[in-house]
Amino acid sequence: MLWVIWVGGWRLGYRGAWGTMSSEYTTHSGRSQFVFPPALRPTIPLDRERTRRLSEALKKIVLVEFLVIGLSAYAASFAYHYLGSNLLPRSYYYVTAAACIAVLTLAFSIGFRHFEAIQTQPRHRFLWSGIGSVALAFCLFLTGLFLFKISEDYSRGSFIFQLLTVGIAVTGTRAITFSRLQSAIKSGLMAARRVVLIGDDGPCSHFAHRLQATGILAVSSFRFPNLAQPVERGPDPALSFQTMLDSCRIKHPDDVIIIANQEHFSAIPSLTSKFSDLPVNIHVVPRDSIDLLATSRIAEFGNLKTFEVSSVPLSSLDLTIKRLFDIVAASAGLILFAPLFLCTAVAIKLDSPGPVFFRQTRHGYNKQAIKVFKFRTMTTLEDGCAFRQVRRNDDRVTRVGQILRRTNIDELPQLLNVLLGQMSIVGPRPHATAHNDMFEGRILPFARRHNVKPGITGWAQVNGARGETDTLEKMQDRIEFDLHYIDNWSFLFDLKIIVMTLFSKKSYINAY
């Protein structure tokens, strides 16, 4: 066990020997970016001290995660046996098991370089990789129990409880350590990952700002080199490659990022070949696609590799989970609110003439037209091109309708649309077709909100972005909330929105 920790710590300690958190890099076109006052500029001993701190911090992270996994695994087995049967587990048996689980999890984390990449990967990937290591460790542990024929003596309930407890413990530990380490790197207490940028000044400056926000430091920026030019000429030339290479050896970067435009692509193979003399990672980014590639991934398509710049928001598994929840929640809601439905129907009939329910054509998934159920709250039944959005103190709203709209009870019949598969419990609110046509050409990503099923409640509604959208800015705010929901969907996010719908004051503002 100690050998695994020592090897992991050694592997984490050898990288980043020249890191610094100075916010300065110099372009060779005479400009300087992100310049701090001279008193804050680092010296070489300070760089080495920050690197030493980072190396020590990573070793401590490995040790802490090992202890957390081992202790949480044993605590889970202890709690399961004691609470279930008032008996204590066999110490030698479950202590050994906890140690094995900790070693296996740590071995997978180190083997897949989770900790080495902590300076460059986003938080969610670091957390998910930890869960993946836990899952692999428990699979291998269970295989070992079976192969050594000791699975009969190992409690299945204890195994499941350990799996859940260790998964939660690793996720919580990694969330805390990631936040603290990133804060230390951004504040300059520990070494940052260093990169050298190659390209025009504008794209390099933009790229450096984006990297700085994640704790990665651009230490230098160079114009695209003239590979045939042996020496520098003139006051503001493109550097010869040898000059650039010598400068990189002095800067000691971890990565070189080439930001190339179309005319540079033919020279990239030669340039990357020459940069292979440096102990660095080399990246190529098309100049006009920086923002596009930020959300892309490399995908395998047949026997080719492609840049997948956009994908469906929810996977098949996500859709299955969401649909099962919708069916259960909608069925339970219709049964639970049946008395409320009856009372509401009676109140509507007594208050004004007309039907109890109102069906309006709205756009659903993939912009398909659907008929959405609502309790009738107005004296008119407007649909299609005749639609006019409700305003504050609208004289078309009935007395009972005012109560229903302010309490969101008028939306409850849409549980029927959920059961029919036309809507979801949570999602972007469906707009009337005329309302969609009004804004679709004016807000370019507007149609993206139709890439998931519309919902009875949504992220925009619980943040107060509801009611009349009489200006482009109001609709823009609502669309931004909807797109944030689509891009960041999770089952827990849906549960959060449902809770906020019930208890947040923002869910009821602008409801009229």
Side-chain angles (χ1 to χ4, degrees):
M1 292 179 291
L2 294 177
W3 179 83
V4 173
I5 297 174
W6 183 85
V7 171
W10 179 83
R11 289 188 64 183
L12 295 174
Y14 85 95
R15 287 290 294 173
W18 306 99
T20 176
M21 194 51 202
S22 164
S23 287
E24 174 184 4
Y25 77 86
T26 305
T27 67
H28 285 263
S29 59
R31 296 184 180 87
S32 182
Q33 307 288 339
F34 308 117
V35 179
F36 273 0
L40 297 180
R41 295 177 187 172
T43 60
I44 292 177
L46 182 58
D47 292 348
R48 292 174 178 170
E49 174 61 21
R50 287 169 172 164
T51 302
R52 185 191 66 79
R53 291 178 186 172
L54 177 62
S55 177
E56 292 299 321
L58 293 176
K59 292 175 183 177
K60 289 178 181 178
I61 289 174
V62 173
L63 179 59
V64 167
E65 187 160 310
F66 174 82
L67 294 175
V68 167
I69 294 170
L71 292 174
S72 61
Y74 181 73
S77 62
F78 182 92
Y80 178 80
H81 284 84
Y82 185 76
L83 296 176
S85 57
N86 280 337
L87 295 176
L88 297 180
R90 289 174 290 177
S91 297
Y92 72 91
Y93 197 64
Y94 283 96
V95 167
T96 304
C100 289
I101 291 170
V103 169
L104 290 173
T105 304
L106 195 61
F108 281 119
S109 296
I110 294 172
F112 289 114
R113 301 185 177 185
H114 296 172
F115 304 106
E116 290 183 44
I118 196 170
Q119 291 175 283
T120 57
Q121 63 185 333
R123 182 199 306 267
H124 71 273
R125 182 166 297 175
F126 186 53
L127 300 184
W128 277 113
S129 62
I131 295 175
S133 291
V134 171
L136 289 173
F138 271 86
C139 287
L140 191 58
F141 178 67
L142 182 61
T143 302
L145 292 179
F146 173 77
L147 291 177
F148 290 104
K149 296 183 178 181
I150 54 177
S151 57
E152 293 182 0
D153 298 327
Y154 203 90
S155 169
R156 288 173 292 180
S158 179
F159 179 87
I160 296 173
F161 199 45
Q162 283 179 320
L163 174 61
L164 296 175
T165 304
V166 171
I168 294 172
V170 168
T171 303
T173 303
R174 290 200 172 196
I176 295 172
T177 55
F178 185 90
S179 296
R180 296 192 64 177
L181 187 62
Q182 289 297 317
S183 297
I185 290 174
K186 290 181 180 181
S187 64
L189 296 176
M190 294 183 185
R193 192 160 183 97
R194 299 162 63 90
V195 300
V196 167
L197 304 177
I198 300 175
D200 295 335
D201 293 345
C204 285
S205 179
H206 173 66
F207 206 88
H209 275 96
R210 295 193 62 156
L211 293 176
Q212 189 181 39
T214 60
I216 300 174
L217 176 65
V219 293
S220 285
S221 171
F222 299 100
R223 291 275 186 91
F224 207 91
N226 183 348
L227 299 179
Q229 181 176 322
V231 294
E232 288 188 62
R233 298 174 184 174
D236 187 19
L239 292 184
S240 68
F241 174 76
Q242 188 59 47
T243 305
M244 185 185 301
L245 193 66
D246 293 340
S247 180
C248 285
R249 293 190 188 279
I250 296 173
K251 295 288 186 179
H252 299 285
D254 299 294
D255 303 85
V256 172
I257 301 177
I258 302 171
I259 306 174
N261 57 28
Q262 188 172 1
E263 65 187 36
H264 294 152
F265 276 109
S266 60
I268 286 178
S270 177
L271 184 62
T272 54
S273 176
K274 292 178 180 295
F275 265 115
S276 64
D277 293 342
L278 293 175
V280 298
N281 302 307
I282 303 172
H283 311 263
V284 178
V285 179
R287 170 180 170 176
D288 299 325
S289 304
I290 292 176
D291 293 327
L292 181 65
L293 294 179
T295 57
S296 68
R297 67 182 184 91
I298 297 178
E300 292 186 1
F301 196 80
N303 60 352
L304 300 174
K305 289 189 181 294
T306 65
F307 280 111
E308 188 176 283
V309 297
S310 182
S311 60
V312 292
L314 277 66
S315 67
S316 298
L317 179 60
D318 296 335
L319 291 171
T320 300
I321 294 173
K322 193 172 177 64
R323 182 57 185 158
L324 289 175
F325 176 77
D326 285 342
I327 293 173
V328 173
S331 301
L334 288 172
I335 296 172
L336 180 64
F337 295 124
L340 179 61
F341 274 47
L342 181 59
C343 295
T344 302
V346 172
I348 291 173
K349 294 299 289 184
L350 293 176
D351 181 58
S352 61
V356 171
F357 295 105
F358 168 49
R359 296 182 65 195
Q360 188 178 60
T361 304
R362 300 192 179 189
H363 281 140
Y365 174 72
N366 200 22
K367 208 179 176 182
Q368 299 296 315
I370 60 174
K371 289 288 187 178
V372 172
F373 291 94
K374 293 187 67 174
F375 281 122
R376 182 178 60 83
T377 59
M378 301 169 60
T379 56
T380 59
L381 301 174
E382 298 173 354
D383 195 8
C385 297
F387 168 79
R388 181 163 61 93
Q389 199 171 16
V390 178
R391 302 178 179 180
R392 189 181 298 275
N393 300 320
D394 198 312
D395 56 7
R396 296 172 298 166
V397 180
T398 64
R399 290 173 298 176
V400 171
Q402 292 176 359
I403 300 173
L404 298 180
R405 299 179 76 90
R406 289 174 183 170
T407 57
N408 295 327
I409 293 176
D410 63 318
E411 310 286 358
L412 288 180
Q414 289 164 31
L415 292 171
L416 295 170
N417 292 106
V418 174
L419 279 182
L420 293 173
Q422 299 170 336
M423 292 180 63
S424 181
I425 297 294
V426 181
R429 285 290 301 149
H431 294 159
T433 53
H435 201 197
N436 267 4
D437 296 339
M438 187 186 307
F439 289 99
E440 188 167 11
R442 302 167 67 187
I443 303 176
L444 291 181
F446 188 92
R448 274 194 63 210
R449 67 193 308 275
H450 299 302
N451 289 347
V452 296
K453 290 181 182 180
I456 297 178
T457 184
W459 184 235
Q461 283 62 45
V462 298
N463 282 280
R466 58 177 300 175
E468 184 183 10
T469 50
D470 53 343
T471 65
L472 186 65
E473 290 74 18
K474 288 182 180 180
M475 181 57 80
Q476 182 70 51
D477 289 342
R478 181 180 295 184
I479 298 302
E480 288 178 1
F481 281 117
D482 289 339
L483 297 184
H484 175 82
Y485 169 79
I486 293 173
D487 294 334
N488 297 275
W489 181 88
S490 70
F491 182 65
L492 293 179
F493 196 12
D494 273 4
L495 295 181
K496 176 182 177 180
I497 292 173
I498 291 172
V499 172
M500 292 180 66
T501 301
L502 297 175
F503 301 107
S504 174
K505 291 182 180 179
K506 288 185 178 181
S507 301
Y508 299 93
I509 63 174
N510 297 326
Y512 43 81

